Amino acid sequence: MVSTVSAAAGLNAPPSTTVIEQYGTGTIPDADRTARPLDLFRLVFGGANTIATVVLGTYPILFGLSFRDGVIAIVLGLVAGALILAPLSLFGPRNGTSNSVASSAHLGVHGRVVGSFLSLLTAVAFFSISVWSSGDVLVGGAELAFGLPASEGSYAVAYALFAVLVLVVCIYGFRFMLLVNKIAVIAATALFLLGIVAFAGTFDPGYAGIFGPGADAATQALYWPSFLGAALVVMSNPVSFGAFLGDWARYIPRDTPKRRVMAATFLAQAATIVPFLFGLVTASIVATAIPDALASGDYVGGLLQISPSWYFVPVCLIALIGGMSTGTTALYGTGLDFSSVFPRFSRVQSTVLIGVIAIAIIFAGRFLFDVVTSISTFAVLIVTCTVPWMVVMIVGWVTRRGWYDPDALQVFNRRQRGGRYWFAHGWNWRGLAAWLVSALVGLLAVNLPGQFEGPLAALTGGVDLSIPLGIGLALVLYLGLLWLFPEPRDAFGPDGPRFVPAGPAAGIPVTDAR
């Protein structure tokens, strides 16, 4: 059926799952764009339907919120993050390449390395979180179910198992990832929903948190900072996908209706309400039954202690499936993008190199430097820097009317100079300045008590406004700079710019680098 439909649409038959993907960040030919918005849904949802997302779902309880307020914070954070993320899915089908390469249109041929750098840091952070959290569940489950000792060696074996499996999937590429996530979407969701049976007898929806009527004034003053902080932690999860969406969406045909592509992305993030609520529900149980576990940051240990013995295997399966899907979605894009920054490496070679480096970081961070608890803070800081980059991309899409020159986007990859996106020696200082200033202000406003507190956090009453500030500043600054210093006319399509003026055409020819 797939081959018949593909032939009728003028498309090549999709390659076998076991054939190693050959395409890097060069433009995917129209005939090979055989993916659908449903495939994008599977990849985005599968990458977030994991234990790592469950851990983020525990934050409302960790911040002292009631179960009801925790649900509200999660829903608000998810919707806001999904709305910001959805437009980033449009660049892949339009340009047939990754979002970092597409950012050449707004940051310049050389400035696109900002997206590559953010992608690398995000991938390492979330790959580490995925391997550590999934490995910890496997080791803890094996200890409780079979009496296997939770030694440093057993943790090392679990981490290595996950990391190597993820690397193998990423080497095979897009189609193998799609297969893994097809399984992950159904299996992990079913296992999470099985938790309704497992925890129905111990769950109390009336869990009050610390902000009840009996709380003193000092505690009550922390309510809004805690509520907004929890919502922003949740929001960081969908936002973290911004740099990667084009890696998967580039296989979707360019004439696919935009609303379908955006809907697939939005609904995929909305579906992560399942693992988020699993984390919220189980954290409220742990907070009641084993408060010391949650207070010490050992949610995984607490989860295993409150789980019925028959649910140990499902929890371990969730860890295995989720670790695979999250790890592959994080690592695949970085290997792909690295091959464009250093064209002498093929996609496979760069994936292996980045994978080995990431695995080394995972083991060093766990066994040598003990940075497991601080990696989540690092992830939040990276997301804070990524949000303004996403805003610049979205504003750029609107002002360019969604028109791009895919060939000109590949100038950097071909080691050439010039073209309509060359701007000033390969740098578009308008987009770069808007991103840099907004990211710095966002970092200064981050407020993660006990982890990272920026100097501006004291001015906001303890409320973490880092992401809202980053969004607002990037929007105002980039639009303002486009008005004050118009981009060249030939950076836009035949219909010209929307909402902003254009300057004289630069007319810079493309030449081979010397």
Side-chain angles (χ1 to χ4, degrees):
M1 176 62 73
V2 172
S3 299
T4 303
V5 172
S6 298
L11 301 175
N12 295 325
S16 170
T17 301
T18 55
V19 173
I20 295 178
E21 180 187 6
Q22 298 302 312
Y23 284 121
T25 50
T27 306
I28 303 295
D30 289 340
D32 288 332
R33 298 195 193 185
T34 55
R36 300 168 295 164
L38 178 59
D39 296 325
L40 180 61
F41 173 91
R42 287 166 172 159
L43 285 166
V44 176
F45 180 35
N49 196 28
T50 66
I51 285 290
T53 303
V54 168
V55 172
L56 294 179
T58 68
Y59 273 74
I61 302 301
L62 288 171
F63 287 177
L65 299 180
S66 66
F67 177 78
R68 183 201 65 183
D69 290 351
V71 171
I72 296 173
I74 285 175
V75 170
L76 288 176
L78 263 184
V79 171
L83 287 173
I84 296 172
L85 177 68
L88 271 294
S89 63
L90 300 177
F91 291 88
R94 180 56 53 87
N95 300 308
T97 189
S98 68
N99 281 1
S100 59
V101 172
S103 71
S104 299
H106 308 299
L107 301 179
V109 168
H110 292 153
R112 54 138 294 187
V113 298
V114 169
S116 301
F117 182 65
L118 293 174
S119 173
L120 173 62
L121 295 180
T122 303
V124 170
F126 282 88
F127 183 37
S128 300
I129 292 172
S130 172
V131 170
W132 286 334
S133 58
S134 298
D136 288 350
V137 170
L138 270 187
V139 172
E143 181 182 25
L144 290 173
F146 309 110
L148 298 178
S151 64
E152 295 286 85
S154 59
Y155 282 110
V157 170
Y159 297 157
L161 171 66
F162 275 113
V164 171
L165 286 175
V166 166
L167 183 56
V168 170
V169 173
C170 291
I171 289 173
Y172 274 95
F174 178 78
R175 287 290 161 186
F176 207 119
M177 282 178 55
L178 188 55
L179 174 63
V180 168
N181 281 279
K182 283 180 179 178
I183 298 171
V185 165
I186 297 173
T189 302
L191 293 170
F192 279 130
L193 294 177
L194 187 60
I196 296 175
V197 178
F199 301 110
T202 53
F203 169 58
D204 176 15
Y207 176 80
I210 65 172
F211 300 109
D216 57 31
T219 301
Q220 290 289 2
L222 296 175
Y223 173 77
W224 283 112
S226 300
F227 180 86
L228 292 176
L232 289 174
V233 167
V234 173
M235 182 179 172
S236 70
N237 200 51
V239 166
S240 68
F241 283 79
F244 303 116
L245 275 183
D247 303 336
W248 319 314
R250 66 198 176 111
Y251 277 99
I252 297 176
R254 70 176 71 241
D255 58 355
T256 303
K258 293 190 287 293
R259 64 180 182 279
R260 292 184 58 199
V261 179
M262 292 178 64
T265 304
F266 181 87
L267 292 175
Q269 288 299 331
T272 62
I273 191 72
V274 174
F276 271 113
L277 287 183
F278 182 91
L280 186 72
V281 167
T282 52
S284 68
I285 299 173
V286 172
T288 302
I290 320 170
D292 290 343
L294 209 60
S296 63
D298 187 20
Y299 161 74
V300 169
L303 171 63
L304 292 171
Q305 290 185 58
I306 64 170
S307 298
S309 57
W310 63 265
Y311 197 61
F312 286 162
V313 172
V315 168
C316 291
L317 287 175
I318 289 173
L320 178 62
I321 296 169
M324 286 285 292
S325 55
T326 296
T328 53
T329 52
L331 188 60
Y332 169 79
T334 302
L336 177 68
D337 200 51
F338 189 80
S339 67
S340 71
V341 178
F342 299 96
R344 70 181 61 186
F345 291 99
S346 68
R347 185 197 67 82
V348 173
Q349 291 172 328
S350 59
T351 297
V352 171
L353 177 60
I354 293 296
V356 170
I357 292 173
I359 292 171
I361 291 173
I362 287 172
F363 275 81
R366 170 63 172 80
F367 297 110
L368 296 180
F369 302 107
D370 193 21
V371 297
V372 175
T373 56
S374 58
I375 196 69
S376 59
T377 303
F378 178 70
V380 171
L381 298 180
I382 293 303
V383 168
T384 301
C385 293
T386 302
V387 168
W389 179 86
M390 295 170 66
V391 173
V392 169
M393 292 285 285
I394 295 170
V395 171
W397 173 282
V398 173
T399 58
R400 303 286 176 85
R401 301 179 185 271
W403 187 93
Y404 294 86
D405 182 346
D407 186 69
L409 293 174
Q410 298 294 331
V411 166
F412 184 98
N413 299 344
R414 295 193 297 252
R415 285 300 180 263
Q416 294 175 320
R417 302 168 62 88
R420 67 176 75 243
Y421 302 132
W422 186 249
F423 300 105
H425 305 288
W427 305 90
N428 186 354
W429 63 269
R430 305 162 189 83
L432 287 168
W435 166 74
L436 183 59
V437 172
S438 304
L440 286 175
V441 172
L443 288 175
L444 294 175
V446 169
N447 184 28
L448 298 174
Q451 300 177 60
F452 184 92
E453 298 181 38
L456 295 182
L459 303 178
T460 60
V463 178
D464 190 331
L465 296 179
S466 54
I467 291 180
L469 276 175
I471 293 173
L473 270 177
L475 178 63
V476 172
L477 286 175
Y478 191 36
L479 281 174
L481 289 171
L482 290 178
W483 265 97
L484 295 173
F485 307 96
E487 293 178 329
R489 176 62 181 79
D490 50 355
F492 300 91
D495 295 330
R498 179 193 282 134
F499 303 135
V500 297
I508 304 173
V510 175
T511 60
D512 292 332
R514 295 181 179 178

